[in-house]
mmCIF file of all heavy atoms in Angstrom:
data_model
loop_
_atom_site.group_PDB
_atom_site.id
_atom_site.type_symbol
_atom_site.label_atom_id
_atom_site.label_comp_id
_atom_site.label_asym_id
_atom_site.label_seq_id
_atom_site.Cartn_x
_atom_site.Cartn_y
_atom_site.Cartn_z
ATOM 1 N N THR A 799 257.243 200.428 35.867
ATOM 2 C CA THR A 799 256.185 199.409 36.009
ATOM 3 C C THR A 799 257.098 197.975 36.021
ATOM 4 O O THR A 799 257.873 197.722 35.132
ATOM 5 C CB THR A 799 255.309 199.271 34.828
ATOM 6 O OG1 THR A 799 254.685 200.475 34.606
ATOM 7 C CG2 THR A 799 254.334 198.217 34.917
ATOM 8 N N LYS A 800 256.766 197.088 37.070
ATOM 9 C CA LYS A 800 257.463 195.755 37.154
ATOM 10 C C LYS A 800 256.528 194.793 36.819
ATOM 11 O O LYS A 800 255.322 194.753 36.917
ATOM 12 C CB LYS A 800 258.044 195.642 38.530
ATOM 13 C CG LYS A 800 259.163 196.638 38.866
ATOM 14 C CD LYS A 800 259.658 196.147 40.295
ATOM 15 C CE LYS A 800 260.899 196.999 40.718
ATOM 16 N NZ LYS A 800 261.511 196.696 41.884
ATOM 17 N N THR A 801 257.080 193.644 36.196
ATOM 18 C CA THR A 801 256.279 192.600 35.838
ATOM 19 C C THR A 801 256.955 191.216 36.420
ATOM 20 O O THR A 801 258.226 191.146 36.495
ATOM 21 C CB THR A 801 256.205 192.395 34.232
ATOM 22 O OG1 THR A 801 255.639 193.628 33.742
ATOM 23 C CG2 THR A 801 255.414 191.176 33.972
ATOM 24 N N LYS A 802 256.096 190.325 36.847
ATOM 25 C CA LYS A 802 256.579 189.023 37.362
ATOM 26 C C LYS A 802 257.008 188.207 36.167
ATOM 27 O O LYS A 802 256.407 188.079 35.245
ATOM 28 C CB LYS A 802 255.376 188.227 38.029
ATOM 29 C CG LYS A 802 255.903 187.016 38.868
ATOM 30 C CD LYS A 802 254.841 186.429 39.600
ATOM 31 C CE LYS A 802 255.361 185.294 40.429
ATOM 32 N NZ LYS A 802 254.277 184.652 41.327
ATOM 33 N N LEU A 803 258.115 187.731 36.420
ATOM 34 C CA LEU A 803 258.914 186.963 35.293
ATOM 35 C C LEU A 803 258.288 185.505 35.216
ATOM 36 O O LEU A 803 257.960 184.878 36.267
ATOM 37 C CB LEU A 803 260.407 186.742 35.487
ATOM 38 C CG LEU A 803 261.070 188.040 35.607
ATOM 39 C CD1 LEU A 803 262.574 187.836 35.949
ATOM 40 C CD2 LEU A 803 261.070 188.820 34.230
ATOM 41 N N ASP A 804 258.115 184.955 33.985
ATOM 42 C CA ASP A 804 257.673 183.590 33.962
ATOM 43 C C ASP A 804 258.592 182.581 34.489
ATOM 44 O O ASP A 804 258.332 181.559 34.974
ATOM 45 C CB ASP A 804 257.457 183.276 32.345
ATOM 46 C CG ASP A 804 256.398 184.198 31.791
ATOM 47 O OD1 ASP A 804 255.414 184.542 32.472
ATOM 48 O OD2 ASP A 804 256.386 184.341 30.635
ATOM 49 N N LYS A 805 259.945 182.928 34.344
ATOM 50 C CA LYS A 805 260.985 182.080 34.878
ATOM 51 C C LYS A 805 261.950 182.871 35.671
ATOM 52 O O LYS A 805 262.539 183.800 35.081
ATOM 53 C CB LYS A 805 261.587 181.236 33.719
ATOM 54 C CG LYS A 805 262.655 180.195 34.167
ATOM 55 C CD LYS A 805 263.308 179.515 32.963
ATOM 56 C CE LYS A 805 264.441 178.562 33.497
ATOM 57 N NZ LYS A 805 265.052 177.860 32.306
ATOM 58 N N PRO A 806 262.180 182.615 36.947
ATOM 59 C CA PRO A 806 263.234 183.406 37.673
ATOM 60 C C PRO A 806 264.539 183.295 37.098
ATOM 61 O O PRO A 806 264.942 182.313 36.454
ATOM 62 C CB PRO A 806 263.156 182.726 39.123
ATOM 63 C CG PRO A 806 261.779 182.095 39.363
ATOM 64 C CD PRO A 806 261.543 181.628 37.727
ATOM 65 N N VAL A 807 265.342 184.386 37.225
ATOM 66 C CA VAL A 807 266.772 184.322 36.680
ATOM 67 C C VAL A 807 267.707 184.725 37.929
ATOM 68 O O VAL A 807 267.256 185.387 38.979
ATOM 69 C CB VAL A 807 266.831 185.456 35.673
ATOM 70 C CG1 VAL A 807 265.951 184.999 34.434
ATOM 71 C CG2 VAL A 807 266.449 186.835 36.080
ATOM 72 N N ASP A 808 268.935 184.141 37.691
ATOM 73 C CA ASP A 808 269.977 184.461 38.683
ATOM 74 C C ASP A 808 270.781 185.675 38.380
ATOM 75 O O ASP A 808 271.120 185.843 37.232
ATOM 76 C CB ASP A 808 270.933 183.272 38.707
ATOM 77 C CG ASP A 808 270.206 182.031 39.349
ATOM 78 O OD1 ASP A 808 269.381 182.082 40.132
ATOM 79 O OD2 ASP A 808 270.637 180.878 38.830
ATOM 80 N N ALA A 809 270.951 186.567 39.458
ATOM 81 C CA ALA A 809 271.752 187.889 39.340
ATOM 82 C C ALA A 809 272.556 187.996 40.460
ATOM 83 O O ALA A 809 271.971 188.217 41.555
ATOM 84 C CB ALA A 809 270.842 188.904 38.918
ATOM 85 N N HIS A 810 273.814 188.000 40.324
ATOM 86 C CA HIS A 810 274.773 188.189 41.503
ATOM 87 C C HIS A 810 274.358 187.240 42.557
ATOM 88 O O HIS A 810 274.329 187.613 43.916
ATOM 89 C CB HIS A 810 274.667 189.628 41.962
ATOM 90 C CG HIS A 810 275.043 190.698 40.905
ATOM 91 N ND1 HIS A 810 276.211 190.804 40.431
ATOM 92 C CD2 HIS A 810 274.230 191.540 40.122
ATOM 93 C CE1 HIS A 810 276.264 191.779 39.467
ATOM 94 N NE2 HIS A 810 275.015 192.224 39.403
ATOM 95 N N GLY A 811 274.126 185.961 42.333
ATOM 96 C CA GLY A 811 273.785 185.028 43.471
ATOM 97 C C GLY A 811 272.396 185.016 43.941
ATOM 98 O O GLY A 811 272.087 184.263 44.878
ATOM 99 N N GLU A 812 271.605 185.863 43.448
ATOM 100 C CA GLU A 812 270.108 185.920 43.901
ATOM 101 C C GLU A 812 269.207 185.633 42.732
ATOM 102 O O GLU A 812 269.530 186.034 41.582
ATOM 103 C CB GLU A 812 269.912 187.250 44.513
ATOM 104 C CG GLU A 812 270.765 187.651 45.783
ATOM 105 C CD GLU A 812 270.388 188.991 46.285
ATOM 106 O OE1 GLU A 812 269.448 189.576 45.800
ATOM 107 O OE2 GLU A 812 270.982 189.438 47.305
ATOM 108 N N GLN A 813 268.136 185.076 43.148
ATOM 109 C CA GLN A 813 266.974 184.837 42.080
ATOM 110 C C GLN A 813 266.175 186.097 42.096
ATOM 111 O O GLN A 813 265.662 186.459 43.020
ATOM 112 C CB GLN A 813 266.184 183.606 42.536
ATOM 113 C CG GLN A 813 266.930 182.269 42.037
ATOM 114 C CD GLN A 813 265.925 181.100 42.011
ATOM 115 O OE1 GLN A 813 264.793 181.197 42.608
ATOM 116 N NE2 GLN A 813 266.176 180.073 41.245
ATOM 117 N N ILE A 814 265.832 186.371 40.891
ATOM 118 C CA ILE A 814 264.916 187.573 40.571
ATOM 119 C C ILE A 814 263.631 187.083 40.049
ATOM 120 O O ILE A 814 263.633 186.245 38.947
ATOM 121 C CB ILE A 814 265.596 188.523 39.508
ATOM 122 C CG1 ILE A 814 266.921 189.122 40.120
ATOM 123 C CG2 ILE A 814 264.699 189.732 39.159
ATOM 124 C CD1 ILE A 814 267.597 190.062 39.080
ATOM 125 N N THR A 815 262.600 187.297 40.543
ATOM 126 C CA THR A 815 261.274 186.846 40.206
ATOM 127 C C THR A 815 260.478 187.917 39.461
ATOM 128 O O THR A 815 259.467 187.624 38.724
ATOM 129 C CB THR A 815 260.392 186.391 41.372
ATOM 130 O OG1 THR A 815 260.349 187.534 42.297
ATOM 131 C CG2 THR A 815 261.192 185.208 42.103
ATOM 132 N N GLU A 816 260.885 189.179 39.519
ATOM 133 C CA GLU A 816 260.240 190.209 38.860
ATOM 134 C C GLU A 816 261.214 191.298 38.392
ATOM 135 O O GLU A 816 262.295 191.345 38.844
ATOM 136 C CB GLU A 816 259.111 190.945 39.646
ATOM 137 C CG GLU A 816 259.673 191.633 40.878
ATOM 138 C CD GLU A 816 258.609 192.506 41.574
ATOM 139 O OE1 GLU A 816 257.479 192.205 41.277
ATOM 140 O OE2 GLU A 816 258.855 193.218 42.482
ATOM 141 N N ALA A 817 260.945 191.970 37.288
ATOM 142 C CA ALA A 817 261.765 192.932 36.771
ATOM 143 C C ALA A 817 261.042 194.020 36.035
ATOM 144 O O ALA A 817 259.907 193.908 35.805
ATOM 145 C CB ALA A 817 262.696 192.249 35.704
ATOM 146 N N VAL A 818 261.733 195.143 35.781
ATOM 147 C CA VAL A 818 261.131 196.393 35.292
ATOM 148 C C VAL A 818 260.697 195.897 33.738
ATOM 149 O O VAL A 818 261.611 195.604 32.965
ATOM 150 C CB VAL A 818 261.936 197.552 35.306
ATOM 151 C CG1 VAL A 818 261.459 198.646 34.558
ATOM 152 C CG2 VAL A 818 262.279 198.013 36.702
ATOM 153 N N SER A 819 259.486 196.217 33.413
ATOM 154 C CA SER A 819 259.053 195.914 32.006
ATOM 155 C C SER A 819 258.808 197.150 31.241
ATOM 156 O O SER A 819 258.717 197.158 30.080
ATOM 157 C CB SER A 819 257.891 195.083 32.069
ATOM 158 O OG SER A 819 256.764 195.695 32.900
ATOM 159 N N LYS A 820 258.593 198.221 32.001
ATOM 160 C CA LYS A 820 258.241 199.569 31.221
ATOM 161 C C LYS A 820 258.622 200.774 32.192
ATOM 162 O O LYS A 820 258.464 200.731 33.351
ATOM 163 C CB LYS A 820 256.835 199.462 30.918
ATOM 164 C CG LYS A 820 256.479 200.897 30.037
ATOM 165 C CD LYS A 820 254.939 200.684 29.318
ATOM 166 C CE LYS A 820 253.916 200.583 30.477
ATOM 167 N NZ LYS A 820 252.572 200.472 29.762
ATOM 168 N N VAL A 821 259.062 201.749 31.622
ATOM 169 C CA VAL A 821 259.351 203.095 32.190
ATOM 170 C C VAL A 821 258.461 204.101 31.333
ATOM 171 O O VAL A 821 258.643 204.208 30.204
ATOM 172 C CB VAL A 821 260.701 203.523 32.223
ATOM 173 C CG1 VAL A 821 260.927 204.935 32.932
ATOM 174 C CG2 VAL A 821 261.566 202.535 33.070
ATOM 175 N N THR A 822 257.684 204.977 31.998
ATOM 176 C CA THR A 822 256.731 205.924 31.342
ATOM 177 C C THR A 822 257.185 207.333 31.885
ATOM 178 O O THR A 822 257.129 207.524 33.186
ATOM 179 C CB THR A 822 255.351 205.658 31.625
ATOM 180 O OG1 THR A 822 255.024 204.302 31.247
ATOM 181 C CG2 THR A 822 254.493 206.623 30.877
ATOM 182 N N TRP A 823 257.361 208.233 30.948
ATOM 183 C CA TRP A 823 257.574 209.590 31.343
ATOM 184 C C TRP A 823 256.371 210.527 30.777
ATOM 185 O O TRP A 823 256.107 210.338 29.656
ATOM 186 C CB TRP A 823 258.859 210.258 30.644
ATOM 187 C CG TRP A 823 260.171 209.723 31.156
ATOM 188 C CD1 TRP A 823 261.044 210.196 32.018
ATOM 189 C CD2 TRP A 823 260.739 208.364 30.737
ATOM 190 N NE1 TRP A 823 262.129 209.345 32.357
ATOM 191 C CE2 TRP A 823 261.987 208.278 31.584
ATOM 192 C CE3 TRP A 823 260.521 207.475 29.815
ATOM 193 C CZ2 TRP A 823 262.918 207.251 31.264
ATOM 194 C CZ3 TRP A 823 261.356 206.453 29.669
ATOM 195 C CH2 TRP A 823 262.525 206.341 30.324
ATOM 196 N N THR A 824 255.794 211.212 31.645
ATOM 197 C CA THR A 824 254.649 212.004 31.313
ATOM 198 C C THR A 824 254.903 213.484 31.659
ATOM 199 O O THR A 824 255.228 213.842 32.732
ATOM 200 C CB THR A 824 253.287 211.562 32.003
ATOM 201 O OG1 THR A 824 253.067 210.287 31.650
ATOM 202 C CG2 THR A 824 252.166 212.348 31.538
ATOM 203 N N ALA A 825 254.756 214.446 30.723
ATOM 204 C CA ALA A 825 255.130 215.791 31.007
ATOM 205 C C ALA A 825 253.987 216.386 31.860
ATOM 206 O O ALA A 825 252.696 216.219 31.585
ATOM 207 C CB ALA A 825 255.204 216.550 29.581
ATOM 208 N N ASP A 826 254.472 217.082 32.853
ATOM 209 C CA ASP A 826 253.575 217.894 33.637
ATOM 210 C C ASP A 826 253.615 219.391 33.266
ATOM 211 O O ASP A 826 253.024 220.249 33.853
ATOM 212 C CB ASP A 826 253.820 217.776 35.167
ATOM 213 C CG ASP A 826 255.283 218.146 35.486
ATOM 214 O OD1 ASP A 826 255.920 218.823 34.555
ATOM 215 O OD2 ASP A 826 255.792 217.935 36.575
ATOM 216 N N GLY A 827 254.166 219.753 32.142
ATOM 217 C CA GLY A 827 254.161 221.047 31.597
ATOM 218 C C GLY A 827 253.992 221.033 30.069
ATOM 219 O O GLY A 827 253.059 220.242 29.605
ATOM 220 N N LYS A 828 254.880 221.724 29.174
ATOM 221 C CA LYS A 828 254.673 221.717 27.900
ATOM 222 C C LYS A 828 255.362 220.471 27.146
ATOM 223 O O LYS A 828 255.053 220.315 25.981
ATOM 224 C CB LYS A 828 255.301 222.866 27.373
ATOM 225 C CG LYS A 828 254.562 224.305 27.759
ATOM 226 C CD LYS A 828 255.183 225.440 27.184
ATOM 227 C CE LYS A 828 254.511 226.706 27.603
ATOM 228 N NZ LYS A 828 254.991 227.982 27.048
ATOM 229 N N GLY A 829 256.174 219.786 27.774
ATOM 230 C CA GLY A 829 256.882 218.646 27.177
ATOM 231 C C GLY A 829 257.933 219.132 26.162
ATOM 232 O O GLY A 829 258.661 220.178 26.455
ATOM 233 N N ILE A 830 258.185 218.363 25.095
ATOM 234 C CA ILE A 830 259.236 218.661 24.135
ATOM 235 C C ILE A 830 258.591 219.489 23.018
ATOM 236 O O ILE A 830 257.765 218.992 22.227
ATOM 237 C CB ILE A 830 259.837 217.437 23.561
ATOM 238 C CG1 ILE A 830 260.408 216.499 24.684
ATOM 239 C CG2 ILE A 830 261.012 217.687 22.627
ATOM 240 C CD1 ILE A 830 260.866 215.135 24.196
ATOM 241 N N ALA A 831 259.057 220.574 22.881
ATOM 242 C CA ALA A 831 258.500 221.637 21.939
ATOM 243 C C ALA A 831 258.863 221.276 20.410
ATOM 244 O O ALA A 831 259.897 220.558 20.312
ATOM 245 C CB ALA A 831 258.824 223.070 22.289
ATOM 246 N N PRO A 832 258.184 221.646 19.511
ATOM 247 C CA PRO A 832 258.522 221.335 18.059
ATOM 248 C C PRO A 832 259.831 221.895 17.815
ATOM 249 O O PRO A 832 260.247 223.053 18.176
ATOM 250 C CB PRO A 832 257.373 222.093 17.293
ATOM 251 C CG PRO A 832 256.249 222.171 18.200
ATOM 252 C CD PRO A 832 256.825 222.283 19.601
ATOM 253 N N GLY A 833 260.683 221.079 17.224
ATOM 254 C CA GLY A 833 262.006 221.571 16.766
ATOM 255 C C GLY A 833 263.055 221.254 17.864
ATOM 256 O O GLY A 833 264.333 221.617 17.660
ATOM 257 N N TYR A 834 262.713 220.623 18.911
ATOM 258 C CA TYR A 834 263.723 220.331 19.917
ATOM 259 C C TYR A 834 263.693 218.834 20.302
ATOM 260 O O TYR A 834 262.848 218.164 19.805
ATOM 261 C CB TYR A 834 263.246 221.008 21.210
ATOM 262 C CG TYR A 834 263.522 222.528 21.144
ATOM 263 C CD1 TYR A 834 262.503 223.384 20.565
ATOM 264 C CD2 TYR A 834 264.669 223.086 21.681
ATOM 265 C CE1 TYR A 834 262.629 224.716 20.474
ATOM 266 C CE2 TYR A 834 264.868 224.439 21.585
ATOM 267 C CZ TYR A 834 263.780 225.275 21.079
ATOM 268 O OH TYR A 834 263.999 226.558 21.001
ATOM 269 N N PHE A 835 264.768 218.441 21.041
ATOM 270 C CA PHE A 835 264.803 216.994 21.435
ATOM 271 C C PHE A 835 265.183 217.046 22.922
ATOM 272 O O PHE A 835 265.577 218.043 23.503
ATOM 273 C CB PHE A 835 265.716 216.107 20.675
ATOM 274 C CG PHE A 835 267.156 216.436 21.005
ATOM 275 C CD1 PHE A 835 267.827 215.663 22.050
ATOM 276 C CD2 PHE A 835 267.879 217.450 20.426
ATOM 277 C CE1 PHE A 835 269.126 215.958 22.348
ATOM 278 C CE2 PHE A 835 269.250 217.709 20.819
ATOM 279 C CZ PHE A 835 269.848 216.992 21.747
ATOM 280 N N GLU A 836 264.944 215.839 23.575
ATOM 281 C CA GLU A 836 265.351 215.668 24.990
ATOM 282 C C GLU A 836 265.719 214.291 25.187
ATOM 283 O O GLU A 836 265.316 213.324 24.539
ATOM 284 C CB GLU A 836 264.209 216.033 25.883
ATOM 285 C CG GLU A 836 264.446 216.181 27.320
ATOM 286 C CD GLU A 836 263.509 216.995 28.076
ATOM 287 O OE1 GLU A 836 262.538 217.502 27.586
ATOM 288 O OE2 GLU A 836 263.665 217.067 29.255
ATOM 289 N N LYS A 837 266.769 214.108 26.099
ATOM 290 C CA LYS A 837 267.335 212.845 26.586
ATOM 291 C C LYS A 837 266.710 212.361 27.897
ATOM 292 O O LYS A 837 266.604 213.048 28.773
ATOM 293 C CB LYS A 837 268.812 212.810 26.647
ATOM 294 C CG LYS A 837 269.541 213.035 25.281
ATOM 295 C CD LYS A 837 270.972 213.057 25.501
ATOM 296 C CE LYS A 837 271.766 213.429 24.209
ATOM 297 N NZ LYS A 837 273.249 213.292 24.218
ATOM 298 N N PHE A 838 266.321 211.139 27.868
ATOM 299 C CA PHE A 838 265.736 210.575 29.160
ATOM 300 C C PHE A 838 266.675 209.409 29.672
ATOM 301 O O PHE A 838 266.728 208.267 29.101
ATOM 302 C CB PHE A 838 264.407 209.877 28.836
ATOM 303 C CG PHE A 838 263.379 210.851 28.381
ATOM 304 C CD1 PHE A 838 263.461 211.308 27.079
ATOM 305 C CD2 PHE A 838 262.401 211.291 29.122
ATOM 306 C CE1 PHE A 838 262.421 212.233 26.569
ATOM 307 C CE2 PHE A 838 261.459 212.356 28.736
ATOM 308 C CZ PHE A 838 261.538 212.754 27.492
#
């Protein structure tokens, strides 16, 4: 998910007007079972 910035910022000589505000992972299977972990 990207969001428009209230104030543009400079990055590598370019102005950025929007940036990623959220990343969402949704399981299409069982997900992370009890007693386990996962790295994203």
Side-chain angles (χ1 to χ4, degrees):
T799 303
K800 292 186 177 182
T801 301
K802 188 173 182 179
L803 301 176
D804 295 333
K805 183 180 179 180
V807 296
D808 292 327
H810 302 289
E812 296 183 3
Q813 277 201 338
I814 300 176
T815 58
E816 65 175 12
V818 172
S819 58
K820 184 169 64 174
V821 177
T822 305
W823 291 265
T824 305
D826 57 12
K828 295 182 179 180
I830 306 174
Y834 290 85
F835 76 91
E836 195 157 352
K837 293 181 179 180
F838 298 79

